[in-house]
Amino acid sequence: QSALTQPPSASGSPGQSVTISCTGTRSDVGGYNYVSWYQQHPGKAPKLIIYEVTKRPSGVPDRFSGSKSGNTASLTVSGLQADDEANYYCSSYAGGNNVVFGGGTKLTVL
Amino acid sequence: QLKLQESGPGLVKPSETLSLTCTVSGGSITSIGYNWDWIRQPPGKGLEYIGTIYSGGSTYYNPSLKSRVTISIDTSKNQFSLRLSSVTASDTAMYYCARRDASDAFDIWGQGAVVTVSS
């Protein structure tokens, strides 16, 4: 059982927007602005797409955005493209050098 | 461009010790502001944080694995290593090494190493 809760699946049609949630507690998501999101295509290593809740690394399209409210963080993918089909994982700093991950969400582009 | 590469045996017998090394190229493992981590992913499942080593040598381990994990660093070789003792089939996974930045994000990952625990 993962420390952070994500929906197992999400879907949307090309051009649409989809939002994936990541729910924790005040000991992790709610307590720190250190939430990250990762994209993982099959057979590949995860890739960082969001850090510090809302920031994008260089090279990540602005179609990817992050937010947080209370103990729940969210990733929104706008203008869905076929290549966005992947698994998405959230993570959060949980104090005392610990990091916890979500169980992952499989995004399907219909 | 910094790259990480895992290496080590792909098959380990039950009760034995899993050993993996991560080689850092294109930059120094002693760079200020970064830590070095191990993360694993069982087949078809999600990511699990294993532990961290700081360039100064101090470590932090996932409490659920702490009794079996040792992470070490060799700055002369620009490498850090993972040892996981008393393995069982549930330790079968893809093992990734990754760089962790000051915001606790894993910004660079290795390609991963498959480790199977089987007799």
Tab-separated table of all heavy atoms in Angstrom, chain A residues 9-20 37-42 47 49 56 59-65 75-89 105-110:
chain	number	residue	atom	x	y	z
A	9	SER	N	-6.371	4.913	-12.732
A	9	SER	CA	-6.456	5.228	-14.147
A	9	SER	C	-7.117	6.574	-14.382
A	9	SER	O	-7.874	7.077	-13.531
A	9	SER	CB	-7.223	4.135	-14.892
A	9	SER	OG	-8.553	4.067	-14.432
A	10	ALA	N	-6.812	7.143	-15.536
A	10	ALA	CA	-7.427	8.376	-16.003
A	10	ALA	C	-7.392	8.339	-17.524
A	10	ALA	O	-6.556	7.640	-18.118
A	10	ALA	CB	-6.685	9.602	-15.478
A	11	SER	N	-8.278	9.085	-18.145
A	11	SER	CA	-8.299	9.082	-19.610
A	11	SER	C	-8.872	10.378	-20.149
A	11	SER	O	-9.590	11.109	-19.449
A	11	SER	CB	-9.102	7.891	-20.129
A	11	SER	OG	-10.457	7.986	-19.722
A	12	GLY	N	-8.544	10.636	-21.398
A	12	GLY	CA	-9.070	11.807	-22.085
A	12	GLY	C	-8.792	11.693	-23.564
A	12	GLY	O	-7.907	10.931	-23.983
A	13	SER	N	-9.503	12.453	-24.343
A	13	SER	CA	-9.315	12.465	-25.787
A	13	SER	C	-8.254	13.485	-26.166
A	13	SER	O	-7.986	14.425	-25.401
A	13	SER	CB	-10.632	12.799	-26.480
A	13	SER	OG	-11.610	11.833	-26.186
A	14	PRO	N	-7.656	13.320	-27.329
A	14	PRO	CA	-6.656	14.298	-27.770
A	14	PRO	C	-7.203	15.720	-27.738
A	14	PRO	O	-8.346	15.965	-28.145
A	14	PRO	CB	-6.331	13.847	-29.204
A	14	PRO	CG	-6.589	12.378	-29.183
A	14	PRO	CD	-7.776	12.197	-28.273
A	15	GLY	N	-6.411	16.639	-27.216
A	15	GLY	CA	-6.811	18.032	-27.117
A	15	GLY	C	-7.506	18.383	-25.816
A	15	GLY	O	-7.569	19.563	-25.451
A	16	GLN	N	-8.025	17.382	-25.125
A	16	GLN	CA	-8.706	17.644	-23.864
A	16	GLN	C	-7.704	17.794	-22.724
A	16	GLN	O	-6.499	17.610	-22.888
A	16	GLN	CB	-9.683	16.509	-23.548
A	16	GLN	CG	-10.900	16.459	-24.454
A	16	GLN	CD	-11.910	15.399	-24.012
A	16	GLN	OE1	-11.555	14.381	-23.410
A	16	GLN	NE2	-13.171	15.638	-24.327
A	17	SER	N	-8.245	18.131	-21.547
A	17	SER	CA	-7.435	18.223	-20.336
A	17	SER	C	-7.831	17.115	-19.374
A	17	SER	O	-9.004	16.720	-19.325
A	17	SER	CB	-7.625	19.583	-19.650
A	17	SER	OG	-7.124	20.630	-20.444
A	18	VAL	N	-6.866	16.654	-18.605
A	18	VAL	CA	-7.140	15.644	-17.591
A	18	VAL	C	-6.362	16.009	-16.337
A	18	VAL	O	-5.243	16.550	-16.427
A	18	VAL	CB	-6.773	14.231	-18.087
A	18	VAL	CG1	-5.283	14.116	-18.331
A	18	VAL	CG2	-7.236	13.168	-17.112
A	19	THR	N	-6.947	15.762	-15.184
A	19	THR	CA	-6.308	16.060	-13.906
A	19	THR	C	-6.184	14.785	-13.076
A	19	THR	O	-7.143	14.018	-12.959
A	19	THR	CB	-7.105	17.109	-13.120
A	19	THR	OG1	-7.116	18.341	-13.864
A	19	THR	CG2	-6.461	17.373	-11.755
A	20	ILE	N	-4.995	14.577	-12.535
A	20	ILE	CA	-4.703	13.415	-11.692
A	20	ILE	C	-4.436	13.901	-10.278
A	20	ILE	O	-3.637	14.816	-10.071
A	20	ILE	CB	-3.475	12.654	-12.230
A	20	ILE	CG1	-3.753	12.131	-13.649
A	20	ILE	CG2	-3.107	11.509	-11.296
A	20	ILE	CD1	-2.517	11.588	-14.349
A	37	TRP	N	6.159	15.283	-9.606
A	37	TRP	CA	5.424	14.368	-10.480
A	37	TRP	C	6.403	13.804	-11.507
A	37	TRP	O	7.278	14.502	-12.015
A	37	TRP	CB	4.294	15.094	-11.201
A	37	TRP	CG	3.154	15.470	-10.308
A	37	TRP	CD1	2.994	16.635	-9.609
A	37	TRP	CD2	1.997	14.685	-10.036
A	37	TRP	NE1	1.815	16.613	-8.907
A	37	TRP	CE2	1.172	15.427	-9.157
A	37	TRP	CE3	1.554	13.423	-10.447
A	37	TRP	CZ2	-0.052	14.948	-8.682
A	37	TRP	CZ3	0.336	12.953	-9.978
A	37	TRP	CH2	-0.455	13.711	-9.111
A	38	TYR	N	6.181	12.518	-11.837
A	38	TYR	CA	7.030	11.818	-12.775
A	38	TYR	C	6.174	11.146	-13.844
A	38	TYR	O	5.103	10.611	-13.550
A	38	TYR	CB	7.876	10.758	-12.055
A	38	TYR	CG	8.725	11.358	-10.960
A	38	TYR	CD1	8.213	11.510	-9.679
A	38	TYR	CD2	10.007	11.813	-11.223
A	38	TYR	CE1	8.959	12.110	-8.680
A	38	TYR	CE2	10.769	12.407	-10.219
A	38	TYR	CZ	10.227	12.557	-8.956
A	38	TYR	OH	10.974	13.145	-7.970
A	39	GLN	N	6.691	11.163	-15.064
A	39	GLN	CA	6.066	10.475	-16.190
A	39	GLN	C	6.910	9.252	-16.520
A	39	GLN	O	8.132	9.368	-16.634
A	39	GLN	CB	6.000	11.409	-17.398
A	39	GLN	CG	5.431	10.788	-18.665
A	39	GLN	CD	5.658	11.685	-19.873
A	39	GLN	OE1	6.786	11.969	-20.242
A	39	GLN	NE2	4.577	12.146	-20.487
A	40	GLN	N	6.273	8.112	-16.680
A	40	GLN	CA	7.010	6.894	-17.007
A	40	GLN	C	6.339	6.161	-18.163
A	40	GLN	O	5.232	5.652	-18.019
A	40	GLN	CB	7.127	5.952	-15.807
A	40	GLN	CG	8.015	4.744	-16.084
A	40	GLN	CD	8.131	3.809	-14.901
A	40	GLN	OE1	7.185	3.634	-14.134
A	40	GLN	NE2	9.310	3.199	-14.732
A	41	HIS	N	7.022	6.139	-19.290
A	41	HIS	CA	6.556	5.339	-20.413
A	41	HIS	C	6.994	3.898	-20.211
A	41	HIS	O	7.991	3.637	-19.527
A	41	HIS	CB	7.120	5.894	-21.732
A	41	HIS	CG	6.481	7.162	-22.174
A	41	HIS	ND1	7.120	8.389	-22.154
A	41	HIS	CD2	5.235	7.411	-22.650
A	41	HIS	CE1	6.308	9.319	-22.595
A	41	HIS	NE2	5.144	8.757	-22.904
A	42	PRO	N	6.266	2.938	-20.789
A	42	PRO	CA	6.606	1.519	-20.606
A	42	PRO	C	8.050	1.215	-20.963
A	42	PRO	O	8.551	1.629	-22.009
A	42	PRO	CB	5.636	0.821	-21.571
A	42	PRO	CG	4.472	1.737	-21.659
A	42	PRO	CD	5.059	3.128	-21.610
A	47	LYS	N	10.593	10.111	-15.516
A	47	LYS	CA	11.122	11.424	-15.898
A	47	LYS	C	10.432	12.481	-15.059
A	47	LYS	O	9.199	12.497	-14.959
A	47	LYS	CB	10.849	11.681	-17.381
A	47	LYS	CG	11.189	13.085	-17.849
A	47	LYS	CD	10.695	13.319	-19.268
A	47	LYS	CE	10.885	14.767	-19.702
A	47	LYS	NZ	10.316	15.020	-21.049
A	49	ILE	N	8.668	15.758	-14.213
A	49	ILE	CA	7.943	16.749	-14.997
A	49	ILE	C	7.448	17.935	-14.164
A	49	ILE	O	7.173	19.006	-14.715
A	49	ILE	CB	6.764	16.116	-15.775
A	49	ILE	CG1	5.803	15.387	-14.828
A	49	ILE	CG2	7.262	15.183	-16.862
A	49	ILE	CD1	4.525	14.910	-15.529
A	56	ARG	N	8.235	23.512	-13.448
A	56	ARG	CA	8.577	22.581	-14.522
A	56	ARG	C	10.065	22.638	-14.828
A	56	ARG	O	10.615	23.728	-15.008
A	56	ARG	CB	7.816	22.926	-15.810
A	56	ARG	CG	6.368	22.537	-15.841
A	56	ARG	CD	5.773	22.831	-17.225
A	56	ARG	NE	6.053	24.206	-17.667
A	56	ARG	CZ	5.326	25.238	-17.327
A	56	ARG	NH1	4.276	25.084	-16.538
A	56	ARG	NH2	5.645	26.443	-17.761
A	59	GLY	N	12.541	22.149	-20.548
A	59	GLY	CA	12.199	21.195	-21.587
A	59	GLY	C	10.845	20.522	-21.420
A	59	GLY	O	10.360	19.879	-22.358
A	60	VAL	N	10.225	20.657	-20.270
A	60	VAL	CA	8.898	20.080	-20.069
A	60	VAL	C	7.851	21.077	-20.571
A	60	VAL	O	7.852	22.241	-20.150
A	60	VAL	CB	8.654	19.752	-18.580
A	60	VAL	CG1	7.211	19.287	-18.362
A	60	VAL	CG2	9.637	18.685	-18.101
A	61	PRO	N	6.964	20.642	-21.451
A	61	PRO	CA	5.971	21.573	-22.019
A	61	PRO	C	5.065	22.178	-20.950
A	61	PRO	O	4.773	21.537	-19.930
A	61	PRO	CB	5.161	20.669	-22.967
A	61	PRO	CG	6.026	19.484	-23.228
A	61	PRO	CD	6.854	19.278	-22.009
A	62	ASP	N	4.615	23.409	-21.216
A	62	ASP	CA	3.734	24.058	-20.247
A	62	ASP	C	2.319	23.471	-20.267
A	62	ASP	O	1.443	23.957	-19.557
A	62	ASP	CB	3.707	25.569	-20.470
A	62	ASP	CG	3.212	25.966	-21.854
A	62	ASP	OD1	2.770	25.074	-22.618
A	62	ASP	OD2	3.262	27.166	-22.188
A	63	ARG	N	2.106	22.447	-21.061
A	63	ARG	CA	0.831	21.702	-20.987
A	63	ARG	C	0.716	20.940	-19.676
A	63	ARG	O	-0.371	20.520	-19.289
A	63	ARG	CB	0.730	20.718	-22.156
A	63	ARG	CG	0.805	21.355	-23.527
A	63	ARG	CD	0.552	20.335	-24.638
A	63	ARG	NE	1.547	19.262	-24.678
A	63	ARG	CZ	1.335	18.033	-24.222
A	63	ARG	NH1	0.165	17.711	-23.699
A	63	ARG	NH2	2.278	17.121	-24.315
A	64	PHE	N	1.847	20.746	-19.031
A	64	PHE	CA	1.864	20.052	-17.740
A	64	PHE	C	1.905	21.105	-16.622
A	64	PHE	O	2.769	21.981	-16.628
A	64	PHE	CB	3.083	19.139	-17.613
A	64	PHE	CG	3.063	17.980	-18.572
A	64	PHE	CD1	3.625	18.084	-19.840
A	64	PHE	CD2	2.476	16.773	-18.218
A	64	PHE	CE1	3.603	17.028	-20.726
A	64	PHE	CE2	2.449	15.699	-19.091
A	64	PHE	CZ	3.018	15.830	-20.358
A	65	SER	N	0.966	21.018	-15.698
A	65	SER	CA	0.941	21.972	-14.591
A	65	SER	C	0.566	21.263	-13.305
A	65	SER	O	-0.124	20.240	-13.316
A	65	SER	CB	-0.041	23.112	-14.874
A	65	SER	OG	-1.355	22.614	-15.015
A	75	LEU	N	-1.989	17.040	-10.763
A	75	LEU	CA	-1.277	17.244	-12.021
A	75	LEU	C	-2.322	17.396	-13.110
A	75	LEU	O	-3.209	16.538	-13.224
A	75	LEU	CB	-0.378	16.050	-12.333
A	75	LEU	CG	0.254	16.032	-13.728
A	75	LEU	CD1	1.354	17.093	-13.824
A	75	LEU	CD2	0.828	14.645	-14.045
A	76	THR	N	-2.230	18.457	-13.885
A	76	THR	CA	-3.134	18.663	-15.010
A	76	THR	C	-2.347	18.602	-16.307
A	76	THR	O	-1.310	19.262	-16.438
A	76	THR	CB	-3.874	20.010	-14.905
A	76	THR	OG1	-4.678	20.006	-13.724
A	76	THR	CG2	-4.772	20.228	-16.116
A	77	VAL	N	-2.821	17.804	-17.219
A	77	VAL	CA	-2.237	17.720	-18.555
A	77	VAL	C	-3.252	18.316	-19.520
A	77	VAL	O	-4.368	17.795	-19.651
A	77	VAL	CB	-1.907	16.273	-18.946
A	77	VAL	CG1	-1.164	16.239	-20.280
A	77	VAL	CG2	-1.078	15.593	-17.861
A	78	SER	N	-2.884	19.419	-20.148
A	78	SER	CA	-3.778	20.100	-21.080
A	78	SER	C	-3.398	19.760	-22.513
A	78	SER	O	-2.250	19.378	-22.778
A	78	SER	CB	-3.682	21.616	-20.874
A	78	SER	OG	-3.933	21.966	-19.540
A	79	GLY	N	-4.357	19.907	-23.427
A	79	GLY	CA	-4.054	19.635	-24.826
A	79	GLY	C	-3.470	18.251	-25.015
A	79	GLY	O	-2.421	18.100	-25.634
A	80	LEU	N	-4.149	17.243	-24.494
A	80	LEU	CA	-3.630	15.880	-24.520
A	80	LEU	C	-3.105	15.474	-25.888
A	80	LEU	O	-3.742	15.736	-26.929
A	80	LEU	CB	-4.712	14.898	-24.089
A	80	LEU	CG	-4.873	14.622	-22.598
A	80	LEU	CD1	-6.094	13.741	-22.358
A	80	LEU	CD2	-3.627	14.006	-22.008
A	81	GLN	N	-1.939	14.802	-25.848
A	81	GLN	CA	-1.345	14.263	-27.065
A	81	GLN	C	-1.116	12.773	-26.873
A	81	GLN	O	-1.033	12.283	-25.740
A	81	GLN	CB	-0.022	14.975	-27.361
A	81	GLN	CG	-0.157	16.474	-27.576
A	81	GLN	CD	1.183	17.142	-27.856
A	81	GLN	OE1	2.233	16.505	-27.913
A	81	GLN	NE2	1.129	18.465	-28.062
A	82	ALA	N	-0.985	12.076	-27.975
A	82	ALA	CA	-0.821	10.621	-27.911
A	82	ALA	C	0.369	10.224	-27.041
A	82	ALA	O	0.312	9.240	-26.289
A	82	ALA	CB	-0.659	10.053	-29.319
A	83	ASP	N	1.448	11.008	-27.102
A	83	ASP	CA	2.654	10.675	-26.357
A	83	ASP	C	2.509	10.901	-24.857
A	83	ASP	O	3.365	10.487	-24.069
A	83	ASP	CB	3.838	11.496	-26.864
A	83	ASP	CG	5.164	11.027	-26.286
A	83	ASP	OD1	5.450	9.800	-26.366
A	83	ASP	OD2	5.895	11.846	-25.713
A	84	ASP	N	1.412	11.517	-24.437
A	84	ASP	CA	1.175	11.707	-23.007
A	84	ASP	C	0.706	10.416	-22.338
A	84	ASP	O	0.649	10.331	-21.113
A	84	ASP	CB	0.132	12.810	-22.761
A	84	ASP	CG	0.593	14.167	-23.257
A	84	ASP	OD1	1.823	14.412	-23.315
A	84	ASP	OD2	-0.284	14.998	-23.598
A	85	GLU	N	0.346	9.438	-23.158
A	85	GLU	CA	-0.102	8.156	-22.598
A	85	GLU	C	1.068	7.488	-21.888
A	85	GLU	O	2.087	7.148	-22.503
A	85	GLU	CB	-0.658	7.254	-23.703
A	85	GLU	CG	-1.257	5.962	-23.158
A	85	GLU	CD	-2.205	5.315	-24.158
A	85	GLU	OE1	-3.236	5.903	-24.499
A	85	GLU	OE2	-1.880	4.183	-24.583
A	86	ALA	N	0.930	7.339	-20.580
A	86	ALA	CA	2.025	6.863	-19.729
A	86	ALA	C	1.495	6.663	-18.321
A	86	ALA	O	0.328	6.958	-18.036
A	86	ALA	CB	3.172	7.879	-19.712
A	87	ASN	N	2.376	6.181	-17.452
A	87	ASN	CA	2.062	6.139	-16.029
A	87	ASN	C	2.629	7.385	-15.365
A	87	ASN	O	3.730	7.841	-15.710
A	87	ASN	CB	2.662	4.896	-15.379
A	87	ASN	CG	1.949	3.631	-15.809
A	87	ASN	OD1	0.732	3.555	-15.734
A	87	ASN	ND2	2.699	2.646	-16.268
A	88	TYR	N	1.867	7.948	-14.430
A	88	TYR	CA	2.282	9.140	-13.725
A	88	TYR	C	2.321	8.865	-12.222
A	88	TYR	O	1.394	8.288	-11.667
A	88	TYR	CB	1.327	10.304	-14.029
A	88	TYR	CG	1.442	10.770	-15.466
A	88	TYR	CD1	0.747	10.114	-16.479
A	88	TYR	CD2	2.250	11.840	-15.809
A	88	TYR	CE1	0.872	10.506	-17.803
A	88	TYR	CE2	2.385	12.257	-17.126
A	88	TYR	CZ	1.696	11.579	-18.108
A	88	TYR	OH	1.827	11.981	-19.420
A	89	TYR	N	3.423	9.279	-11.599
A	89	TYR	CA	3.609	9.066	-10.168
A	89	TYR	C	3.844	10.403	-9.468
A	89	TYR	O	4.589	11.244	-9.976
A	89	TYR	CB	4.818	8.167	-9.905
A	89	TYR	CG	4.658	6.764	-10.411
A	89	TYR	CD1	5.071	6.403	-11.681
A	89	TYR	CD2	4.091	5.776	-9.600
A	89	TYR	CE1	4.921	5.113	-12.152
A	89	TYR	CE2	3.940	4.474	-10.057
A	89	TYR	CZ	4.359	4.155	-11.339
A	89	TYR	OH	4.203	2.874	-11.788
A	105	THR	N	-0.741	6.407	-11.649
A	105	THR	CA	-1.971	6.530	-12.435
A	105	THR	C	-1.642	6.273	-13.889
A	105	THR	O	-0.744	6.909	-14.443
A	105	THR	CB	-2.579	7.936	-12.296
A	105	THR	OG1	-2.924	8.176	-10.927
A	105	THR	CG2	-3.821	8.079	-13.168
A	106	LYS	N	-2.356	5.353	-14.493
A	106	LYS	CA	-2.165	5.077	-15.913
A	106	LYS	C	-3.066	6.015	-16.707
A	106	LYS	O	-4.297	5.947	-16.599
A	106	LYS	CB	-2.494	3.623	-16.242
A	106	LYS	CG	-2.319	3.281	-17.721
A	106	LYS	CD	-2.581	1.822	-17.986
A	106	LYS	CE	-2.532	1.500	-19.477
A	106	LYS	NZ	-1.261	1.903	-20.099
A	107	LEU	N	-2.448	6.886	-17.489
A	107	LEU	CA	-3.195	7.819	-18.321
A	107	LEU	C	-3.340	7.250	-19.724
A	107	LEU	O	-2.336	6.941	-20.384
A	107	LEU	CB	-2.483	9.174	-18.368
A	107	LEU	CG	-3.074	10.219	-19.314
A	107	LEU	CD1	-4.516	10.548	-18.932
A	107	LEU	CD2	-2.220	11.489	-19.324
A	108	THR	N	-4.575	7.138	-20.155
A	108	THR	CA	-4.882	6.648	-21.505
A	108	THR	C	-5.417	7.789	-22.354
A	108	THR	O	-6.327	8.513	-21.927
A	108	THR	CB	-5.920	5.521	-21.441
A	108	THR	OG1	-5.406	4.433	-20.654
A	108	THR	CG2	-6.234	5.005	-22.842
A	109	VAL	N	-4.848	7.952	-23.530
A	109	VAL	CA	-5.339	8.940	-24.489
A	109	VAL	C	-6.232	8.203	-25.477
A	109	VAL	O	-5.769	7.340	-26.232
A	109	VAL	CB	-4.189	9.650	-25.200
A	109	VAL	CG1	-4.725	10.683	-26.188
A	109	VAL	CG2	-3.273	10.328	-24.183
A	110	LEU	N	-7.513	8.514	-25.424
A	110	LEU	CA	-8.513	7.757	-26.179
A	110	LEU	C	-8.424	7.986	-27.684
A	110	LEU	O	-7.963	9.047	-28.127
A	110	LEU	CB	-9.906	8.128	-25.671
A	110	LEU	CG	-10.137	7.859	-24.172
A	110	LEU	CD1	-11.457	8.481	-23.742
A	110	LEU	CD2	-10.105	6.364	-23.887
